[in-house]
Amino acid sequence: SELQKVRLVESLSHATCEPLSCNQRQGTGFRSQGSADYKGAMTDSIPIRTEWGTAPSLDDIAAMAREALDTLEEPFRTHAKAVAIKVEDFADDETLETMKIENPYELTGLYYGVALTLEMHSAPSQIPPMVWLYRMPIIDEWAASEGIALEELVAHVVIHELGHHFGWSDEEMDVMQED
């Protein structure tokens, strides 16, 4: 219903970065510095190397998705908890071929299952609802984005895919995000 869509949009607005966790991330030193300008010989003052750590793992992305689900308001949180979250590096070849996607970096997430609006109580679906997140395309999109935390991007992708679980089209979700 229209009221449920409004409540989900309001709930989703809280599913991104909370002020405290944003402030904590700002203290890590990972801020955009614009462009780097290297002049002079390699023997001129050598910049101190920053420790970057490792790339987020499949488990890290899954934890970010679970955190996003935990921030949803009811009744969306309860319905969302019934959806399995699976994380892979990329979509498999069969999925890409079925969706007519040539570049595997173009697919960051996918909903698999029957939308709640189509589910029949008298004949429940035998397909368990599932959201697939694709780690490498998400990291690639994050690297190309300025001013967005990886946790926010993961939350955006998982919640977009959950929108399909609730029976909403991409076009309907685009309109809701604009409001």
Side-chain angles (χ1 to χ4, degrees), residues 11-173:
S11 178
L12 300 184
S13 69
H14 301 292
T16 58
C17 182
E18 294 296 323
L20 179 61
S21 59
C22 284
N23 292 336
Q24 290 170 339
R25 275 195 299 279
Q26 288 174 352
T28 63
F30 295 112
R31 59 178 168 68
S32 174
Q33 298 177 353
S35 61
D37 186 15
Y38 297 102
K39 293 183 180 174
M42 291 290 287
T43 56
D44 290 353
S45 66
I46 298 172
I48 298 173
R49 184 176 182 279
T50 301
E51 189 64 40
W52 296 107
T54 59
S57 68
L58 298 172
D59 289 337
D60 294 332
I61 300 293
M64 290 177 211
R66 281 191 301 276
E67 187 176 307
L69 294 179
D70 289 342
T71 65
L72 292 175
E73 293 179 9
E74 291 298 342
F76 303 105
R77 182 175 39 237
T78 298
H79 289 292
K81 295 284 183 170
V83 179
I85 305 290
K86 302 287 185 180
V87 183
E88 296 290 338
D89 276 329
F90 291 98
D92 60 45
D93 291 337
E94 182 181 346
T95 299
L96 294 170
E97 186 177 313
T98 300
M99 297 186 70
K100 297 179 176 43
I101 296 175
E102 291 182 23
N103 183 347
Y105 282 94
E106 291 179 10
L107 187 61
T108 56
L110 179 69
Y111 174 72
Y112 179 80
V114 177
L116 290 177
T117 54
L118 301 175
E119 187 78 39
M120 295 180 1
H121 294 290
S122 60
S125 172
Q126 300 301 311
I127 301 170
M130 203 176 306
V131 167
W132 290 91
L133 299 177
Y134 302 115
R135 182 178 79 100
M136 294 305 293
I138 288 171
I139 291 172
D140 185 62
E141 184 174 326
W142 171 60
S145 301
E146 194 171 314
I148 185 168
L150 180 58
E151 295 86 351
E152 291 175 273
L153 180 58
V154 170
H156 173 81
V157 174
V158 74
I159 289 173
H160 174 92
E161 298 309 329
L162 280 173
H164 294 302
H165 177 64
F166 292 115
W168 303 329
S169 69
D170 287 333
E171 293 77 20
E172 288 173 311
M173 285 185 276

